[in-house]
Amino acid sequence: MGRTRPKTRKVKPLITENTAEPAVPPSVPALLEKAQELIVRCDYELAGRFARRVLEREPGNVEAKEMLGVTQLETGELDAAKETFQSLIPPNPGAPAIPPPSAHLYLAQLSDDDPHLALKHYQAAVDILSAQLKGKERAVDPVGPGEDEAELKRNIVRALIGMVEIWMDPSYDLCFDPAAEKTCEELLNLALQTDPGNTEALQTLASVRMSQQRPDDAKACLEQAWSQWKDLDLVADDPRLPPIPSRLALVKLFLELALYTPALLVLQGIMATDDQEVEAWYLEGWCFFLMAEQAQENGGKLDELTWEELARDARDCLETCQMLHINQEHPDKPLLEHVRELITKLDALGIQPSPDKEGSDEEGWEDVEGSDDEDGDVEMS
């Protein structure tokens, strides 16, 4: 009997497994893309980990440092965020020759204890962005200005508005500087020269006009700002609409000028986008409360509505606002205090929430737009 040949077939898969190539690590662009995606999804902790992985491989990567700073800012690590953004600005070692303007913009916001330093950062950002804009303008585009150019203009305007807000802030001595009013005018003129018709610039100019006791001029600015987008599809959340914080700021200015109908119409668009927006419910309730007060002063009615009807609408909105504020653990405590103060006043007047509030919001919005409902609870026309 001959020698038995050894069986070797089982060895082959083991050899294949042992000699398999190791997995290729993700590229730096892939890591940056993932970090950006996580930031958009507000997963800042995980986004920060991806940004750090990039920095482990490329310690000087500017985009990764920017993203890391953003994640630190959003997670409350303010000192760490400040240090990260400062590392992007010369003469810090490893900083790019021309720092990203976002680093200056974030540092301006993080310098609220030093308004002069904040102004320097804003101005530095404006200078960098303006140089970038001139480069875009020199590259003649027969089709017209592109989205990049429009975004540059918006960022310049936001930086200029940030400077105006510092000069107008009563908590800073700059507010009382004799040059404050002239400086704000110059900054806003530059903003509107950079981006004519910019709604945020017009709203800030309206705020300045109100501080100057020029309500008619303020009203004209607000009407010009609102006219830019009021006919857009509010329900479809048209991308040309200003961001919700900007629209909420517009509502506040409308209320200061007792322009209640446009205030409610702007709130309608915000609610169509996000019916869980705490500040929108607060402003709607505050608007109806002010209308109820005006109705009392005018003999009990305003636009065919009794003050009690308006006050009931205010109570319903404020109750919803209070519920959302608590459920969301909203950080704005003074807002909740004011809501409770208004509810207490309404309670003292004998105004209780509607027995059945389901569907009342939709009816109210239809009334604002001219519904002929017989009850007319919030008919504003």
Side-chain angles (χ1 to χ4, degrees), residues 264 267 271 277-278 280-289 310-324 339 343 346 353-354 357 360-361 365 378:
L264 288 171
L267 286 168
M271 294 287 198
E277 174 56 59
V278 170
W281 283 104
Y282 161 69
L283 290 173
E284 187 185 7
W286 179 227
C287 181
F288 282 127
F289 186 93
L310 293 164
R312 191 186 317 115
D313 289 327
R315 178 74 188 255
D316 290 344
C317 294
L318 293 169
E319 292 285 355
T320 301
C321 175
Q322 180 175 233
M323 177 190 68
L324 290 173
V339 166
I343 289 175
L346 291 168
S354 299
K357 292 190 289 183
S360 62
D361 297 326
W365 289 129
V378 287

Side-chain angles (χ1 to χ4, degrees), residues 109-269:
Q109 296 174 44
L110 289 165
S111 302
D112 53 358
D113 58 336
D114 187 345
H116 294 280
L117 179 59
L119 288 172
K120 287 181 181 178
H121 281 301
Y122 275 128
Q123 186 60 58
V126 169
D127 292 342
I128 296 169
L129 289 164
S130 297
Q132 293 176 354
L133 180 61
K134 286 179 182 177
K136 291 284 185 184
E137 290 172 343
R138 280 196 293 267
V140 179
D141 184 356
V143 180
E147 183 57 33
D148 288 347
E149 184 178 332
E151 184 61 26
L152 282 172
K153 289 180 178 181
R154 286 193 290 268
N155 285 333
I156 291 171
V157 169
R158 287 176 187 134
L160 292 168
I161 289 173
M163 297 171 77
V164 172
E165 290 172 345
I166 290 175
W167 278 98
M168 291 179 63
D169 192 331
S171 64
Y172 298 136
D173 291 339
L174 286 169
C175 180
F176 307 102
D177 190 308
E181 185 173 337
K182 181 183 176 184
T183 301
C184 289
E185 293 278 355
E186 291 173 348
L187 291 169
L188 286 170
N189 284 337
L190 178 56
L192 289 168
Q193 287 170 15
T194 302
D195 190 11
N198 182 284
T199 56
E200 292 181 68
L202 288 168
Q203 286 176 211
T204 306
L205 182 58
S207 184
V208 170
R209 293 289 177 260
M210 289 171 68
S211 70
Q212 296 169 332
Q213 304 300 314
R214 296 164 59 180
D216 290 339
D217 291 337
K219 190 178 295 187
C221 290
L222 293 182
E223 288 173 352
Q224 186 181 350
W226 190 35
S227 68
Q228 310 263 350
W229 54 269
K230 68 177 182 179
D231 295 326
L232 298 178
D233 190 342
L234 300 176
V235 177
D237 195 20
D238 193 298
R240 292 170 293 173
L241 288 169
I244 285 180
S246 178
R247 283 184 272 169
L248 290 171
L250 177 63
V251 171
K252 293 175 186 176
L253 292 169
F254 277 145
L255 294 183
E256 285 190 60
L257 290 166
L259 299 173
Y260 302 128
T261 299
L264 288 171
L265 288 170
V266 174
L267 286 168
Q268 173 188 3

